[in-house]
């Protein structure tokens, strides 16, 4: 072999020898799956106006950018797609968009992208329709109606929204997926089923692929990791996969592992306070339950912790106020002193009120999944107060209330539509109790039309205190989310109104 050839061969061999350890090191350091993986139940829908569950909300908040967003830590509302949302009277609102925004297909985000999407949500009767008809009360909003008189497009970047009455929380409400925009293509074609299979949004992530096993979202910027939302409805499977490092974030924790999260994950776990609250409410037309003292006795007789840790499998937290703990802005802990389990005080209060005789029916909607905990509460009332408490499932509870057939406490589930204390109180006034105290209802109205979110806190707190005194509904517990995550993931952030923030997840 010639000297030059031999030298080249030696140099080539040296390069191979040098590169081999580098390649081996890279292979060793790179994760088997370079994507960030998140376990979740399959979303019921990916149309933002039809989002019905937490998985859909999480994905929607990654694929779309709403007019506003909510800070998970403080609950504060900040402008996002909107440059401003203003009103002189909290009834007629002017929305101005940031210029230059586009959907992931390159089409522009305009005023019609929002007004057209909102109109479609109400016209098609999607899950978010009630936010327009019953919460915002946009002028002319009726489910199935072809349009809304309260929506007026001024120009490509400006539109006006007129409500039936003043609502200071309207800007905060705009963070819900029901208020997200849709591109002109689908608004024109109305081919909702095709669009929902692989939707196009205006947010930081786009849907790269979708199958029965996973939904893959890739960063629109081309930088950063893709996120694979694995369809894993089983909490045990999620938890086990995260513990083994096979899944980066689990969004469900099985009841049997609640007490071992600290041992299994150290500080890599979190309970996220929710915006849902379950109550037992009292029909105003039932005289024997009209006394606040009787209601207080029933409330103190219920051991909320025993039910949340037993029948409810650690997926709920005992309530200590009428306002859900996930409403960070304006929420106060420990407002319901009568929610603390106190057997002796409960017995004494019921005795002072003259007692209760005869059956005490606990009414609830059949088929909703409340059977186990209602049975547990009935057993507690029988044991603590010697009452003949009986679960009373019914199909059509709302109608039974309207017909005044309900003769005992009944179950109420509420979800705050936006992060403000009044958003938790308003649904209670509409729950069918017949409660009409002018002082409390007036304060709720004052909180709704307050000029600023801060101005609405004080009347809402006063209303809460008044309602806890009369107790038309006793708070029982609030749902919360659980998160556990692997050692390689960072930036796990979540809130009651956003769910897990996929855009903040990073790998070590």
């Amino acid at each position: 072999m010639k000297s030059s050839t031999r030298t080249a061969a030696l140099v080539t061999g040296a390069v191979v020898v040098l590169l081999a350890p580098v390649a081996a090191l890279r292979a060793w350091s790179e994760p088997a799956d370079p994507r960030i993986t998140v376990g979740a139940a399959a979303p019921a829908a990916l149309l933002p106006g039809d989002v019905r569950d937490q998985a859909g909300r999480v994905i929607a908040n990654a694929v779309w950018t709403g007019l506003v967003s909510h800070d998970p830590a403080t609950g504060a509302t900040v402008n996002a797609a909107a440059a401003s949302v203003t009103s002189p009277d909290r009834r007629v609102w002017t929305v101005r968009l940031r210029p230059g925004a586009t959907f992931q297909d390159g089409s522009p985000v305009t005023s019609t992208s929002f007004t057209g999407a909102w109109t479609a949500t109400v016209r098609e009767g999607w899950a978010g329709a009630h936010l327009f008809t019953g919460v915002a009360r946009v002028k002319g909003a009726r489910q199935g109606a072809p349009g809304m008189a309260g929506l007026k497009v001024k120009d490509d970047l400006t539109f006006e929204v007129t409500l039936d009455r003043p609502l200071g929380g309207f800007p905060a409400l705009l963070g819900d997926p029901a208020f997200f925009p849709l591109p002109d293509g689908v608004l024109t074609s109305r081919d909702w089923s095709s669009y929902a299979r692989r939707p196009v949004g205006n947010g930081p992530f786009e849907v790269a692929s979708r199958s029965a096993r996973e939904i893959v979202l890739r960063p629109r910027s081309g930088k950063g990791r893709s996120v694979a939302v694995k369809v894993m409805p089983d909490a045990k499977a999620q938890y086990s996969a995260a513990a083994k490092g096979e899944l980066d974030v689990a969004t469900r924790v099985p009841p049997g592992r609640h007490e071992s999260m600290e041992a299994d994950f150290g500080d890599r776990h979190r309970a996220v306070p929710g915006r849902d609250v379950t109550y037992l409410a009292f029909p105003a037309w039932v005289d024997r339950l009209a006394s606040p003292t009787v209601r207080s006795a029933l409330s103190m007789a219920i051991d909320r912790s025993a039910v949340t840790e037993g029948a409810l499998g650690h997926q709920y937290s005992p309530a200590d106020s009428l306002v859900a703990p996930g409403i960070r802005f304006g929420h106060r802990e420990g407002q319901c002193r009568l929610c603390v389990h106190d057997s002796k005080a409960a017995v004494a209060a019921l005795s002072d009120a003259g007692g209760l005789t005869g059956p005490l029916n606990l009414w609830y909607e059949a088929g909703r999944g409340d059977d186990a905990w209602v049975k547990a509460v009935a057993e507690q009332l029988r044991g603590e107060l010697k009452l003949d408490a009986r679960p009373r499932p019914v199909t059509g509870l709302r109608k039974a209330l309207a017909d005044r057939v309900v003769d005992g406490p009944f179950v109420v589930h509420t979800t705050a539509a936006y992060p403000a204390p009044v958003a938790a109180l308003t649904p209670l006034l509409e729950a069918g109790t017949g409660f009409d105290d002018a002082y409390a209802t007036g304060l709720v109205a004052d909180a709704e039309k307050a000029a600023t979110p801060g101005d609405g806190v004080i009347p809402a707190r006063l209303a809460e205190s008044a309602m806890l005194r009369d107790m038309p509904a006793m708070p029982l517990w609030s749902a919360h989310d659980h998160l556990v995550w692997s050692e390689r993931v960072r930036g796990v952030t979540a809130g009651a109104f956003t769910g897990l923030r996929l855009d903040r997840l990073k790998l070590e």
Side-chain angles (χ1 to χ4, degrees):
M1 182 180 290
K2 293 183 180 180
S3 176
S4 59
T5 304
R6 185 182 302 111
T7 301
L10 289 172
V11 170
T12 301
V15 171
V16 171
V17 170
L18 288 171
L19 288 178
V22 173
L25 179 61
R26 183 180 295 116
W28 178 80
S29 61
E30 282 289 321
D33 190 340
R35 309 170 301 178
I36 299 172
T37 54
V38 176
L46 289 187
L47 274 170
D50 203 25
V51 165
R52 291 168 248 165
D53 48 37
Q54 194 69 327
R57 182 172 291 270
V58 166
I59 294 172
N61 277 292
V63 176
W64 281 270
T65 295
L67 291 167
V68 304
S69 62
H70 302 303
D71 186 322
T74 65
T77 300
V78 296
N79 289 332
S84 64
V85 182
T86 58
S87 173
D89 58 2
R90 277 84 70 195
R91 181 172 175 269
V92 180
W93 294 86
T94 299
V95 179
R96 292 183 173 84
L97 305 179
R98 298 185 189 276
T102 62
F103 288 98
Q104 292 141 8
D105 62 0
S107 60
V109 177
T110 67
S111 297
T112 305
S113 305
F114 287 93
T115 60
W118 300 1
T119 299
T121 297
V122 174
R123 183 184 64 239
E124 304 295 334
W126 292 333
H130 77 284
L131 295 177
F132 298 92
T133 60
V135 180
R137 298 182 194 171
V138 177
K139 184 179 179 181
R142 295 184 305 277
Q143 189 161 313
M148 287 183 274
L151 299 181
K152 292 184 180 179
V153 172
K154 297 295 188 179
D155 57 47
D156 281 351
L157 297 179
T158 310
F159 64 97
E160 187 178 273
V161 187
T162 301
L163 311 180
D164 284 338
R165 64 22 172 142
L167 181 64
F170 181 69
L173 181 61
L174 297 176
D176 191 275
F179 294 87
F180 289 175
L182 294 175
D184 183 65
V186 71
L187 291 176
T188 301
S189 71
R190 298 190 184 182
D191 187 358
W192 312 119
S193 58
S194 295
Y195 178 80
R197 284 193 290 272
R198 193 164 174 177
V200 173
N202 64 323
F205 283 87
E206 58 188 5
V207 178
S209 65
R210 183 181 182 184
S211 69
R213 297 196 304 173
E214 65 179 20
I215 299 170
V216 179
L217 309 177
R218 64 182 171 220
R220 186 179 179 184
S221 66
K223 300 177 182 179
R225 304 270 183 174
S226 292
V227 177
V229 180
K230 303 278 190 179
V231 177
M232 302 176 68
D234 183 68
K236 290 182 180 179
Q238 280 195 43
Y239 190 90
S240 176
K244 296 175 183 176
E246 298 169 354
L247 185 71
D248 290 313
V249 183
T251 58
R252 296 189 64 191
V253 171
R257 305 302 296 178
H258 185 273
E259 301 296 338
S260 64
M261 284 190 293
E262 184 77 30
D264 295 341
F265 289 90
D267 60 356
R268 292 176 286 111
H269 69 91
R270 182 173 303 155
V272 184
R275 62 194 184 116
D276 304 327
V277 181
T278 300
Y279 308 85
L280 265 184
F282 298 94
W285 54 89
V286 179
D287 291 340
R288 68 182 187 135
L289 298 176
S291 167
T293 305
V294 170
R295 299 173 182 184
S296 299
L298 296 175
S299 181
M300 291 186 290
I302 297 173
D303 186 344
R304 290 160 173 78
S305 294
V307 180
T308 57
E309 293 170 10
L312 292 171
H314 296 281
Q315 306 304 308
Y316 293 76
S317 301
D320 61 1
S321 85
L322 292 175
V323 178
I327 302 176
R328 297 194 178 277
F329 181 75
H331 173 262
R332 295 179 298 174
E333 295 182 355
Q335 291 308 295
C336 184
R337 290 175 294 175
L338 298 174
C339 292
V340 177
H341 180 223
D342 190 331
S343 298
K344 291 182 178 179
V347 171
L350 188 61
S351 176
D352 290 344
L356 277 177
T357 58
L360 181 69
N361 292 316
L362 306 182
W363 293 70
Y364 64 102
E365 187 70 41
R368 197 190 182 282
D370 294 326
D371 301 82
W373 74 255
V374 173
K375 180 181 178 181
V377 168
E379 289 175 351
Q380 288 185 351
L381 294 177
R382 286 196 294 269
E384 300 273 332
L385 299 177
K386 311 305 178 187
L387 298 175
D388 183 15
R390 304 175 182 182
R392 180 70 165 81
V394 61
T395 300
L397 178 59
R398 175 63 68 176
K399 185 177 187 305
L401 287 167
D403 295 341
R404 299 205 164 187
V405 174
V406 175
D407 63 355
F410 62 95
V411 175
V412 173
H413 298 281
T414 68
T415 300
Y418 55 96
V422 70
L425 301 180
T426 301
L428 285 178
L429 299 181
E430 301 168 351
T433 62
F435 177 73
D436 61 355
D437 178 75
Y439 175 71
T441 56
L443 287 168
V444 170
D446 290 342
E448 281 197 323
K449 63 186 180 184
T452 68
D455 290 341
V457 169
I458 296 302
R461 286 179 171 175
L462 291 172
E464 181 185 16
S465 296
M467 292 171 72
L468 283 171
R469 182 176 60 250
D470 292 337
M471 200 169 278
M474 68 169 84
L476 295 178
W477 35 74
S478 176
H480 60 250
D481 290 331
H482 281 122
L483 299 171
V484 296
W485 56 93
S486 70
E487 293 181 343
R488 73 171 191 158
V489 74
R490 298 291 182 271
V492 178
T493 306
F497 292 85
T498 62
L500 176 66
R501 291 289 300 271
L502 301 183
D503 60 319
R504 299 193 183 185
L505 295 176
K506 299 183 184 302
L507 293 188
E508 180 77 342

